[in-house]
Amino acid sequence: MKKVLHIVGARPNFMKVAPIHRELARRHRLVQALVHTGQHYDLQMSDVFFADLGLPPPDVHLGVGSGSHAEQTARVMLELDRVFSDQRPDLVSVVGDVNSTMAAALVAAKRLIPIAHVEAGLRSFDRTMPEEINRVVTDRISDHLLTPSRDADENLRAEGIDPARIHPVGNVMIDTLLRSRQQAAALSTVRDLGLSPGHYAVCTLHRPSNVDDPDRLGGLLDALAFIAERIPVVFPLHPRTRKAIAAASLQPKLDRSRNLRVIQPLGYLAFLCLTSQAKLILTDSGGLQEESTALGVPCLTLRENTERPVTVAEGTNTVVGTDPDRIRTEAARILDGGGKQGRIPERWDGHTAERIADLYERLLT
Ligand code: UD1
C-alpha cells in the first residue's frame, strides 16, 4: 500500500490533520504516519489537542522547539530529511502556513516526493507577516493545492498555477468543529468561569505584529479594558503574548479591570465551548476568524488585513485594524445588537476530509 506522511508542528495544524487522518484510517486503503515537528511543545499548546481530537500519538516526534524563523525552519528541515529517507512516503501532506509547513514542503520538493498542501491559496498580500511567506513558498512548490474557498482558487490561478493542480475541497478545520460541537457544549467551561452564555467576549492575540510592539499591545489591552466595562472579556494568553506583556511591563493594564479575565491557553474542546457561546470574538488568529463564521458569532479581526476574505464577505467577520478607538466603536456596535449574522461558505460542510481522502486515493492507487 502507498504511504501518506502527515506533518504537524503548531497548534493550528492539529485540528486540520485530525479529520484527514481519521478518514484515511477508516478506509484502510493507504498507509499513513504522523510526524510532529515539535514547533509547539507545551502541554496546553500540543498534547491537549491530541487528546481532545482523538489524534493518535505521533509516529515520529522531532522536538525542534522554539527559535528564530531561520533556526526553527532549518532544524525541521534537517530532521525531516532523515525522516523522509526512513519513511519513504509516496505523498507528503502538509497543512496551513506555519514554519513547519513550509520546511516540510521544501524538504519533500528537493527529494521529489509529491506534496499536497491543505489550505492552499490563502493570501493576505502582506509579506511582513511570516505566514504569508510560508503560504507563497509552500504553494509554489506543492504538487496538489487543496483550497478552502473560492478566493484561494482565484489567487492560485492569478499566480499562474495550472488549474488541474487546484482542488477545491473546502475547509477541513470545520469538519473538526462540527464533529466536536456537542462534546464541547457538554463541558462546564463557561459556567466554571462564572460566565453566562451570550454575555461575554473572547479575545486572543498572538501575532508578532500586535504583541511584539509594546505600544500596539498596550493600545489593544486598553481597548479590551474598555470593552470589559460593559461585558466580561475572557483572554486566554498565548505564551508569546504572556512573555511580551511581562517584557513591556504591561501587567498593570490587565489588572485594572476585574472583568478582563486572563486565563491559560485552553484545549480545543474547552475553547470551542467558550467561543460557541460568546457574544463577540476579538482576535488576530486566522483560524478563529473561520471558526467564528462557522459558529455564527460576530468576530472583530484586530489586524489590517486578512488572508480569509470569505469570512468578511460571507461570514461574521469584520477587519477593524488595531486602532483602540475603532475597536471600541465596533465592539459597542455589536454589543448594541449590530453584529453580522453571516452565512456558511461553500464546502464548509463537515465533509472536506472525505473529499481529501478521495483525492489522495485517486493520486496514489
Ligand atoms: C506559530 C505560527 C503561527 C500560528 C501560531 C499559533 C509560524 C511562523 N507561526 O506562531 O502561524 O498562528 O503558531 O499558535 O509558524 N512558545 C511556548 N510554548 C510552545 C510554543 C511556543 O512557550 O509550546 C513560546 C516560545 O517562547 C516561542 C514563542 O512562543 O518563542 C513563539 O512560538 P512560535 O512557534 O515561534 O510562534 P507562534 O507565535 O506560536
Side-chain angles (χ1 to χ4, degrees):
M1 278 201 279
K2 295 283 178 63
K3 184 177 208 174
V4 178
L5 203 61
H6 305 276
I7 314 297
V8 293
R11 185 168 65 176
N13 293 159
F14 308 130
M15 45 285 225
K16 295 168 192 166
V17 165
I20 309 173
H21 193 280
R22 185 180 302 108
E23 182 61 18
L24 289 179
R26 191 182 69 75
R27 297 183 180 201
H28 278 302
R29 286 194 280 269
L30 296 170
V31 178
Q32 52 181 345
L34 182 62
V35 181
H36 190 333
T37 67
Q39 176 173 344
H40 282 175
Y41 42 84
D42 285 350
L43 191 77
Q44 284 301 104
M45 298 295 286
S46 177
D47 304 35
V48 170
F49 288 81
F50 278 73
D52 278 2
L53 301 170
L55 253 181
D59 298 282
V60 185
H61 199 299
L62 305 179
V64 300
S66 302
S68 70
H69 288 273
E71 283 167 343
Q72 195 171 56
T73 307
R75 281 205 294 267
V76 175
M77 288 181 70
L78 285 171
E79 294 293 325
L80 275 184
D81 204 32
R82 183 179 52 74
V83 172
F84 289 175
S85 145
D86 293 346
Q87 296 268 342
R88 306 200 163 279
D90 298 290
L91 181 74
V92 168
S93 178
V94 298
V95 297
D97 57 14
V98 303
N99 285 345
S100 299
T101 309
M102 181 189 68
L106 279 170
V107 178
K110 295 287 178 85
R111 282 184 166 268
L112 308 181
I113 305 168
I115 307 162
H117 182 207
V118 178
E119 200 185 270
L122 298 183
R123 296 288 182 270
S124 65
F125 302 100
D126 174 4
R127 294 256 172 125
T128 65
M129 192 182 182
E131 292 80 4
E132 182 72 357
I133 313 280
N134 294 343
R135 292 181 200 115
V136 168
V137 172
T138 305
D139 284 343
R140 202 70 210 168
I141 59 179
S142 291
D143 301 273
H144 310 289
L145 300 160
L146 285 64
T147 56
S149 47
R150 272 175 202 264
D151 54 280
D153 304 338
E154 282 158 22
N155 290 336
L156 293 173
R157 280 199 297 268
E159 290 175 18
I161 304 271
D162 177 357
R165 289 167 47 209
I166 304 172
H167 307 279
V169 293
N171 190 331
V172 77
M173 203 180 67
I174 303 306
D175 286 21
T176 297
L177 182 138
L178 295 176
R179 187 176 197 274
S180 311
R181 268 199 92 162
Q182 264 195 321
Q183 222 185 329
L187 296 181
S188 58
T189 315
V190 173
R191 224 177 22 252
D192 293 348
L193 285 163
L195 302 166
S196 323
H199 293 287
Y200 61 89
V202 176
C203 176
T204 77
L205 291 173
H206 75 285
R207 294 252 98 80
S209 58
N210 278 340
V211 308
D212 292 356
D213 172 351
D215 288 341
R216 170 82 51 91
L217 181 56
L220 291 172
L221 298 182
D222 287 339
L224 294 184
F226 179 84
I227 297 166
E229 285 172 19
R230 278 194 64 178
I231 191 169
V233 178
V234 187
F235 188 24
L237 268 197
H238 186 283
R240 176 190 283 278
T241 313
R242 182 174 295 281
K243 285 176 191 170
I245 288 171
S249 307
L250 291 171
Q251 185 62 34
K253 286 190 186 281
L254 292 177
D255 296 339
R256 253 184 338 206
S257 165
R258 282 210 350 262
N259 251 354
L260 183 51
R261 313 271 181 83
V262 176
I263 60 172
Q264 292 295 321
L266 295 173
Y268 183 77
L269 292 172
F271 191 61
L272 180 57
C273 175
L274 199 61
T275 50
S276 56
Q277 299 175 63
K279 172 82 176 166
L280 161 67
I281 290 172
L282 303 113
T283 193
D284 59 11
S285 147
L288 194 44
Q289 295 171 49
E290 295 180 343
E291 287 166 343
S292 305
T293 280
L295 294 169
V297 175
C299 175
L300 296 180
T301 291
L302 311 184
R303 288 170 42 189
E304 302 303 332
N305 51 52
T306 179
E307 62 288 340
R308 290 156 160 99
V310 73
T311 60
V312 177
E314 298 182 28
T316 58
N317 191 19
T318 310
V319 178
V320 295
T322 55
D323 172 48
D325 289 336
R326 169 104 200 269
I327 297 168
R328 293 168 179 201
T329 310
E330 294 288 345
R333 205 173 47 76
I334 292 171
L335 297 181
D336 292 336
K340 281 163 98 170
Q341 299 292 311
R343 63 172 188 271
I344 308 294
E346 189 185 16
R347 294 196 198 92
W348 290 27
D349 57 1
H351 298 287
T352 294
E354 291 157 47
R355 291 186 282 270
I356 294 175
D358 288 346
L359 174 68
Y360 288 2
E361 286 179 2
R362 224 169 36 243
L363 293 171
L364 295 177
T365 54

